[in-house]
Amino acid sequence: MSKPSTDFMRWSEIARELPAEETPLPRMPLHVLFGESVEVARFFEKYYRAVRDESGAVIHAGLESVADPTGMPRHPKAITSKTAMEILSLQRAAQEAQTRYLLMVEQRSDVVSRGRFLQGELCATLTYHFDDGVEDEKDAQLARVEAAHARDPDTALALASALDDYAALAAPHRKQIDGLGGFRAAYIDEARLVADELRSRPERLSMMKNASREALLLRNRIVALLAERMSAVRNAARFVFRDRPDVIREVTSTYQRRRRTEARRTRKSTVPPPRSTQIPPPPSA
């Protein structure tokens, strides 16, 4: 894994000081959040300064009118002159945190995923090979192996045991099933090797699982910091430009706006039409 960037290191230190509980993610895909963060930063730079006429008189206040002059906001909803730069820095840090988390998950699941693939290949191939219309000892053996592992826990040791059993059942039929439906006889040998590796690495796999969990928590905390600053800019914009809905629209979330529109459309389509209150005319004589 590459050396952490300055952005990642900076915000990781701050994120780790947040409360220990899980931090909920914003209700949008991360790639959408990252894209909108750049737009919010651009909006901040565009509208930070007040608009003035030729004489220098203020035509309309800018975001600077509500910015904390100390540069050190006292609460999450405060903005400073550095907020745009912080948003962009947090976006880079959050993207890196996401990449690091995914790499850890991939590394942890690599051996386990391969083991599950081999188990699936062995089971499917043996089931097809033994299905000759005659119930014999081969079918009974396969049924016993399947029953033995039907309720296995999701652990490396349980998977190792299943791989050994399926490999032992497949070994006598090696030549017949080699190439059958794309199956390779080498899978039998690989299944045993993977089983040995799973047995020798339970502690390491557990450590990798814990590491990926910590990476996920760190990513969520950095994303929370990013979303917090984006929200601060949007809150400030709604106040400063309360008489300019066209400006406010520039900084609102396009994704959330579309979601709300779709939700309203869905509600309208599911609400039944109102019943008529008109009294029907009396029947004719």
Side-chain angles (χ1 to χ4, degrees):
M1 193 175 296
S2 60
K3 183 179 179 181
S5 68
T6 303
D7 292 310
F8 180 78
M9 292 295 292
R10 172 191 178 189
W11 295 110
S12 292
E13 292 179 5
I14 297 174
R16 289 191 176 99
E17 296 177 359
L18 296 179
E21 62 266 16
E22 291 285 338
T23 306
L25 289 174
R27 295 183 177 180
M28 64 175 62
L30 284 182
H31 71 275
V32 174
L33 180 74
F34 294 157
E36 289 193 357
S37 67
V38 176
E39 295 173 1
V40 171
R42 288 173 180 166
F43 175 91
F44 185 92
E45 294 290 357
K46 179 179 178 181
Y47 290 101
Y48 184 71
R49 301 294 180 189
V51 178
R52 301 176 182 273
D53 61 17
E54 294 180 357
S55 65
V58 175
I59 299 175
H60 202 293
L63 294 172
E64 64 179 340
S65 64
V66 295
D68 192 314
T70 66
M72 299 290 291
R74 293 182 295 274
H75 56 82
K77 291 186 177 181
I79 61 173
T80 73
S81 59
K82 301 176 182 178
T83 296
M85 291 187 296
E86 289 182 344
I87 287 175
L88 294 177
S89 177
L90 274 164
Q91 186 245 23
R92 292 189 293 268
Q95 284 188 322
E96 184 171 339
Q98 168 71 348
T99 300
R100 288 176 174 275
Y101 163 67
L102 293 177
L103 288 175
M104 283 190 177
V105 170
E106 182 180 343
Q107 182 183 10
R108 173 173 63 84
S109 63
D110 195 30
V111 177
V112 175
S113 296
R114 188 60 181 175
R116 288 174 180 155
F117 165 78
L118 292 169
Q119 181 184 3
E121 286 292 291
L122 286 163
C123 181
T125 303
L126 290 173
T127 299
Y128 183 83
H129 180 61
F130 291 166
D131 187 16
D132 55 4
V134 179
E135 289 291 330
D136 53 19
E137 182 58 22
K138 294 181 297 185
D139 298 290
Q141 289 174 340
L142 178 59
R144 284 195 292 269
V145 171
E146 290 177 336
H149 299 286
R151 298 191 178 186
D152 277 353
D154 186 17
T155 64
L157 293 179
L159 178 57
S161 177
L163 287 172
D164 275 340
D165 287 345
Y166 278 106
L169 184 59
H173 310 278
R174 184 185 191 94
K175 289 184 179 180
Q176 296 96 315
I177 61 178
D178 188 21
L180 185 65
F183 181 84
R184 301 175 184 176
Y187 288 165
I188 300 172
D189 304 319
E190 186 183 357
R192 288 169 171 157
L193 292 173
V194 171
D196 289 341
E197 188 171 359
L198 288 168
R199 285 195 184 91
S200 66
R201 295 175 54 189
E203 292 185 5
R204 184 184 171 196
L205 289 171
S206 177
M207 290 174 60
M208 292 167 67
K209 184 176 182 180
N210 291 336
S212 62
R213 187 184 298 115
E214 288 297 318
L216 175 62
L217 180 58
L218 179 60
R219 182 207 69 180
N220 288 355
R221 289 174 172 178
I222 295 176
V223 167
L225 289 172
L226 172 61
E228 186 177 81
R229 277 162 175 75
M230 292 170 63
S231 178
V233 173
R234 285 166 169 160
N235 289 338
R238 280 191 288 268
F239 173 65
V240 173
F241 303 105
R242 54 192 179 277
D243 59 341
R244 294 284 307 277
D246 57 318
V247 174
I248 295 175
R249 187 178 177 83
E250 289 184 39
V251 77
T252 56
S253 170
T254 303
Y255 177 85
Q256 296 291 7
R257 194 163 59 240
R258 289 173 180 169
R259 288 287 300 272
R260 289 193 292 270
T261 301
E262 187 62 32
R264 287 195 296 269
R265 186 180 297 116
T266 302
R267 285 197 296 271
K268 288 181 180 179
S269 64
T270 56
V271 174
R275 294 182 178 180
S276 174
T277 58
Q278 183 178 0
I279 301 176
S284 57

